[in-house]
DNA sequence: CTTCTGCCGTGTTGCTTCCC
DNA sequence: GGGAAGCAACACGGCAGAAG
């Protein structure tokens, strides 16, 4: 039970991030903006008005006046400050999710109810009346009520999240998978950067800036996305999306794998190569279109690559790399030769990105690139004819779970 | 309905280390 | 030796749920 509250607190945070994303998407004009943690949790600056939004997520508790009383008093305090220094009026929006008890609050509020339920409170056995402390007239409280919106029937966590995913599919004309793994993931990345910035300017973003920033093929490693979704689930959804076709077509598949030199072990990589070869080649005698996959290993030491290939050959696992004899230069036709039952080529290893590009350009078959990267993408191949899937992973182990 | 609890992030304080 | 920079320990406050 030690981390019980932590999990719920994190869910509360995510609820707030999601609401932020939702509010940005709801902005009408490209130039309108939001501020994270400005006056309240989220401040919306649209052309005609400003709204300070306070967000509460109580997954397991019941609504009570006292729960939202504090935020309302904070809002009233801000209201008082803004009228006494004659700042422009802003709207206040209290957005909350509760398990039950919403019927305790009847809207709209009148001044008397506002005082009784929210402004009169006790602390350390002392009775306080905030409207008197702040010296506000009933007329002013009336104005405050006009600027205040309370919504305690907010969407629950999952509904709100599904909502956002759907907005992304509509806006970017993409699949639900892409909405979640690309746009939502990138959106979290942007929100995270804003939320952890110090200055108000850095916590501000316009709708246009936001949309431009999340609409990139580059997908960065994002620890928040990994909190939101367990690594295993992420791997499974990648697997379901890209690697679960039953009838594997005889395409030229290029697997790009990045190793982390600090944690590299040869046996682990070899195991992965065996898995790739096994799953993505067809070399039976009766197969008319036999084939095997290509592999390029990023950041692997050159001498280590030679030793690795040597070991594979010793173990009767036939690999080719386009170099036919000692001293030869890279022969693209050699590496492109069809793998068959008879020549028993199980894997084609490309030694460099240059060899990879040459092979991609010279092949006339259907080509697919699967790039697995740790922190940053390392290969771009812009061709409408070639499917290029980029998948961020944390370690080689993840690739095994995905393919 | 209020108070308590565990957790987290942040700000403060006072000390050490480093460089001039 | 003095001042600036860095760092660890600590306290504090906010959060949501649970207990009282």
């Amino acid at each position: 039970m030690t981390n019980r509250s932590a999990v719920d607190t994190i869910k509360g945070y995510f609820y707030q991030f999601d609401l932020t994303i939702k509010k940005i998407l709801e902005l009408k004009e490209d130039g309108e903006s939001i501020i994270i943690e400005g006056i309240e949790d989220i401040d919306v600056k649209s052309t005609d008005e400003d709204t300070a939004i306070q967000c509460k997520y109580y997954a397991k508790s019941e609504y009570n006046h006292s729960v939202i009383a504090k935020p309302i008093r904070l809002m009233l305090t801000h209201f008082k400050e803004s009228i006494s220094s004659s700042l422009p009026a802003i709207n206040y929006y209290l957005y909350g999710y509760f398990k039950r008890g919403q019927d305790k609050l009847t809207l709209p509020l009148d001044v008397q109810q506002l005082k009784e339920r929210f402004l009169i409170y006790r602390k350390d056995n002392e009775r306080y009346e905030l409207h008197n402390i702040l010296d506000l007239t009933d007329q002013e409280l009336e104005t405050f009520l006009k600027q205040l919106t309370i919504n305690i029937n907010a969407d629950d966590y999952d509904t709100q999240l599904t909502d956002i995913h759907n907005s992304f599919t509509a806006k970017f004309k993409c699949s639900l998978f892409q909405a979640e793994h690309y746009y939502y993931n990138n959106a979290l990345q942007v929100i995270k950067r804003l939320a952890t910035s110090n200055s108000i300017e850095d916590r501000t973003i316009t709708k246009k800036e936001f949309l431009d920033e999340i609409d990139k093929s580059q997908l960065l490693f994002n620890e928040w996305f990994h909190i939101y979704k367990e690594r295993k689930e992420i791997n499974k959804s990648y697997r379901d999306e890209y690697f679960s076709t039953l009838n594997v077509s005889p395409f030229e598949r290029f697997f790009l794998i990045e190793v982390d030199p600090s944690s590299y072990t040869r046996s682990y990589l070899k195991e992965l190569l065996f898995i790739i070869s096994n799953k993505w080649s067809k070399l039976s005698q009766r197969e008319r279109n036999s084939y095997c996959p290509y592999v390029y290993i990023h950041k692997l030491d050159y001498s280590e690559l030679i030793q690795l290939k040597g070991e594979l050959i010793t173990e009767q696992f036939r690999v080719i790399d386009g170099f036919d004899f000692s001293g030869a230069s890279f022969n693209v036709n050699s590496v492109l030769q069809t793998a068959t039952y008879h020549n028993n080529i199980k894997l084609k290893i490309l030694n460099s990105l240059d060899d990879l590009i040459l092979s991609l350009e010279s092949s006339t078959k259907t080509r697919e690139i699967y790039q697995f990267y740790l922190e940053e993408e390392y290969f771009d191949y812009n061709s409408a004819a070639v499917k290029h899937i980029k998948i961020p992973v944390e370690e080689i182990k993840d690739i095994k779970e995905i393919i």
Side-chain angles (χ1 to χ4, degrees):
Chain A
M1 290 294 270
T2 46
N3 64 350
R4 156 189 33 89
S5 353
V7 170
D8 293 318
T9 305
I10 286 168
K11 201 164 188 180
Y13 282 136
F14 273 97
Y15 186 77
Q16 191 182 320
F17 307 149
D18 292 348
L19 180 68
T20 310
I21 295 168
K22 193 172 146 188
K23 288 293 165 192
I24 299 174
L25 294 175
E26 280 173 6
L27 290 172
K28 289 189 196 73
E29 308 283 331
D30 279 352
E32 294 177 345
S33 63
I34 65 131
I35 305 168
I36 296 176
E37 301 276 346
I39 300 164
E40 290 291 346
D41 291 340
I42 312 160
D43 296 356
V44 178
K45 290 184 118 41
S46 70
T47 39
D48 38 324
E49 57 182 15
D50 290 357
T51 309
I53 300 171
Q54 172 71 234
C55 166
K56 296 272 151 203
Y57 191 76
Y58 294 87
K60 292 174 188 168
S61 39
E62 180 172 324
Y63 170 81
N64 270 308
H65 298 319
S66 59
V67 179
I68 63 165
K70 240 186 190 171
I72 288 180
R73 290 199 292 268
L74 281 171
M75 285 170 172
L76 187 69
T77 310
H78 181 269
F79 172 80
K80 169 69 183 177
E81 283 167 17
S82 65
I83 53 172
S84 47
S85 46
S86 45
L87 291 169
I90 65 165
N91 294 316
Y92 301 91
Y93 194 116
L94 196 127
Y95 189 78
Y97 173 83
F98 298 89
K99 194 174 182 185
R100 57 176 174 271
Q102 287 88 343
D103 53 343
K104 292 181 195 170
L105 182 72
T106 45
L107 295 168
L109 284 173
D110 60 37
V111 172
Q112 195 52 36
Q113 290 168 325
L114 175 70
K115 286 180 184 171
E116 279 171 14
R117 288 174 183 163
F118 302 117
L119 304 185
I120 300 169
Y121 64 104
R122 305 184 73 81
K123 200 185 168 194
D124 302 331
N125 270 324
E126 291 283 332
R127 190 185 145 92
Y128 298 92
E129 297 188 354
L130 191 68
H131 45 287
N132 292 331
I133 298 169
L134 295 174
D135 194 23
L136 288 164
T137 64
D138 281 6
Q139 190 63 47
E140 287 167 325
L141 289 179
E142 194 71 52
T143 313
F144 175 70
L145 278 179
K146 279 196 189 108
Q147 289 169 228
L148 173 70
T149 310
I150 298 175
N151 178 4
I152 55 167
N153 292 298
D155 289 338
D156 68 29
Y157 178 83
D158 292 319
T159 309
Q160 179 170 265
L161 189 59
T162 311
D163 228 47
I164 289 169
H165 291 163
N166 289 335
S167 306
F168 283 142
T169 59
K171 184 157 285 298
F172 296 107
K173 312 247 179 301
C174 65
S175 68
L176 258 182
F177 174 85
Q178 285 174 319
E180 179 176 9
H181 285 262
Y182 289 80
Y183 296 106
Y184 179 66
N185 187 349
N186 278 344
L188 276 184
Q189 179 80 11
V190 173
I191 300 295
K192 172 193 159 198
R193 196 195 66 229
L194 294 175
T196 51
S197 295
N198 285 321
S199 71
I200 288 278
E201 296 83 62
D202 291 342
R203 293 202 304 274
T204 309
I205 194 163
T206 65
K207 184 179 187 183
K208 182 172 173 20
E209 286 165 352
F210 179 77
L211 292 178
D212 287 350
E213 232 176 295
I214 66 170
D215 189 15
K216 290 186 293 201
S217 62
Q218 170 95 358
L219 188 55
L220 293 168
F221 172 77
N222 178 353
E223 66 260 41
W224 278 15
F225 190 67
H226 292 171
I227 296 169
Y228 147 80
K229 215 168 177 174
E230 293 278 333
R231 189 70 231 184
K232 278 202 163 147
E233 284 179 71
I234 298 177
N235 290 348
K236 187 180 182 310
S237 39
Y238 274 120
R239 186 189 179 91
D240 292 347
E241 178 77 6
Y242 298 122
F243 298 100
S244 60
T245 43
L246 282 173
N247 288 315
V248 180
S249 316
F251 297 154
E252 300 277 59
R253 290 188 185 77
F254 296 83
F255 290 88
L256 281 51
I257 297 160
E258 178 175 3
V259 294
D260 175 7
S262 65
S263 65
Y264 168 80
T265 56
R266 191 187 297 165
S267 59
Y268 223 81
L269 179 61
K270 255 168 70 184
E271 200 189 325
L272 177 64
L273 295 183
F274 289 146
I275 293 172
I276 292 175
S277 170
N278 259 323
K279 286 196 178 158
W280 301 97
S281 54
K282 235 176 215 168
L283 298 170
S284 79
Q285 214 164 355
R286 294 167 58 196
E287 180 63 49
R288 287 159 84 226
N289 294 314
S290 58
Y291 57 91
C292 81
Y294 297 73
V295 168
Y296 161 75
I297 304 148
H298 193 57
K299 283 198 184 149
L300 186 66
D301 192 63
Y302 183 65
S303 59
E304 173 56 30
L305 181 62
I306 292 171
Q307 290 192 44
L308 173 72
K309 286 187 285 193
E311 264 192 41
L312 292 171
I313 297 286
T314 313
E315 293 168 24
Q316 307 286 313
F317 184 87
R318 185 156 184 229
V319 296
I320 58 166
D321 65 357
F323 291 81
D324 295 331
F325 54 89
S326 170
S329 52
F330 178 63
N331 177 359
V332 71
N333 291 320
S334 164
V335 86
L336 288 182
Q337 68 179 287
T338 306
T340 64
Y341 173 78
H342 298 289
N343 67 22
N344 202 27
I345 297 170
K346 291 186 166 145
L347 193 66
K348 299 170 173 180
I349 295 185
L350 296 163
N351 295 326
S352 67
L353 283 174
D354 289 338
D355 293 358
L356 168 67
I357 293 169
L358 212 57
S359 310
L360 280 166
E361 284 171 351
S362 310
S363 171
T364 51
K365 297 178 184 166
T366 308
R367 287 143 289 167
E368 287 178 352
I369 308 169
Y370 296 95
Q371 177 178 180
F372 297 92
Y373 61 94
L374 297 174
E375 304 247 328
E376 270 188 74
E377 297 171 18
Y378 45 87
F379 183 64
D380 252 320
Y381 192 75
N382 288 321
S383 162
V386 180
K387 181 166 142 189
H388 190 169
I389 308 286
K390 299 164 181 174
I391 299 175
V393 291
E394 274 172 83
E395 45 180 346
I396 286 194
K397 193 172 139 244
D398 294 325
I399 306 178
K400 290 182 190 168
E401 286 182 19
I402 293 169
I403 62 169

